[in-house]
Amino acid sequence: MSVSSLVLSSLLGASYINPMNFFQSPGGSGCGTSGPASCQNTNMPPAANTCCFESPGGLIMQTQVWDTDVAGSPADSWTIHGLWPDNCDGTYIENCDPSRDYKNIAELLESQGASSTLEFMQQYWLNNHGNNERFWEHEWATHGTCYSTLDVNCLPSDSPTGAEAVAYFETVVKVFKTLPTYDWLAEAGITPSSSETHTLSSLLSALETASGGYTPALACSRSHTLSSISWYFNLKGSVIDGDFVPINTPKQSSCPLRGIKYLPKEG
């Protein structure tokens, strides 16, 4: 169930801007997707091309949140938290290159032709403190700069400043659109309610069925209320144009076995 370019183009429609449009090389990243998936080849030599093999952060986690009190948050969709490159053993590193802590992400996206991605982010990538720009800057600086395949040395020499960050945000949106958590739960008759509660097994079963058999990790607040979900991948090739290969979560859900609340959004 790899996320192929054909499937993504169909999902995103004609308005989608391929991240590689920002690079001058007609061959994209030049990596292809025929090599091993990240974290799946323990014999990868130390000198492996980390521009085309995500390392050490090859356990990629796409996290969505269910915020019930964020103004403007869509009532029929979970929203984006980020796309994080955990190490294969579950540890992680952060803030890998402060020299690339870009500011004004919105302007960067617009200036490099990614206005449609920005518009989507303004609807589905929201900060619960009301400052989306600061949230995006944080996610790029903290997690985006840690992708080996997005290192500036992996880009064509004439790439515009920040092109790798633009590719990162494009990819985050791209992957998020393949994971319609709200719709998948709704297909199983599970929708937000102020009175109903659910078992962990019923929630995971619905998501496994809809996703083609992959198990995510659910997180709940102290009041047993659903708050976030994490979907996991390995990557074949580059973050820019590689294949995200779904895997089962390596971590346990933090929700209780029963009595889980899935509350409606207030704002």
Side-chain angles (χ1 to χ4, degrees), residues 25-74:
S25 171
S29 68
C31 294
T33 58
S34 61
S38 58
C39 296
Q40 299 301 316
N41 188 341
T42 57
N43 297 318
M44 183 63 62
N49 180 7
T50 55
C51 286
C52 293
F53 181 80
E54 191 58 51
S55 177
L59 179 62
I60 298 175
M61 176 172 57
Q62 208 284 323
T63 301
Q64 304 174 8
V65 292
W66 183 257
D67 285 325
T68 59
D69 58 353
V70 177
S73 184

Side-chain angles (χ1 to χ4, degrees), residues 165-218:
V166 173
Y168 167 76
F169 288 106
E170 290 263 271
T171 296
V172 176
V173 167
K174 176 174 68 175
V175 174
F176 174 77
K177 286 186 174 182
T178 70
L179 300 167
T181 300
Y182 182 95
D183 293 341
W184 285 348
L185 289 172
E187 287 171 5
I190 301 172
T191 55
S193 168
S194 299
S195 57
E196 290 185 53
T197 62
H198 307 276
T199 63
L200 179 60
S201 62
S202 67
L203 294 169
L204 291 178
S205 177
L207 295 167
E208 289 165 359
T209 298
S211 67
Y214 298 100
T215 306
L218 290 169

Side-chain angles (χ1 to χ4, degrees), residues 109-131:
L109 291 166
E110 286 187 326
S111 68
Q112 297 191 28
S115 57
S116 62
T117 291
L118 174 59
E119 291 172 3
F120 189 89
M121 289 165 57
Q122 289 168 337
Q123 297 178 59
Y124 296 98
W125 199 338
L126 308 175
N127 188 340
N128 59 0
H129 298 298
N131 191 324

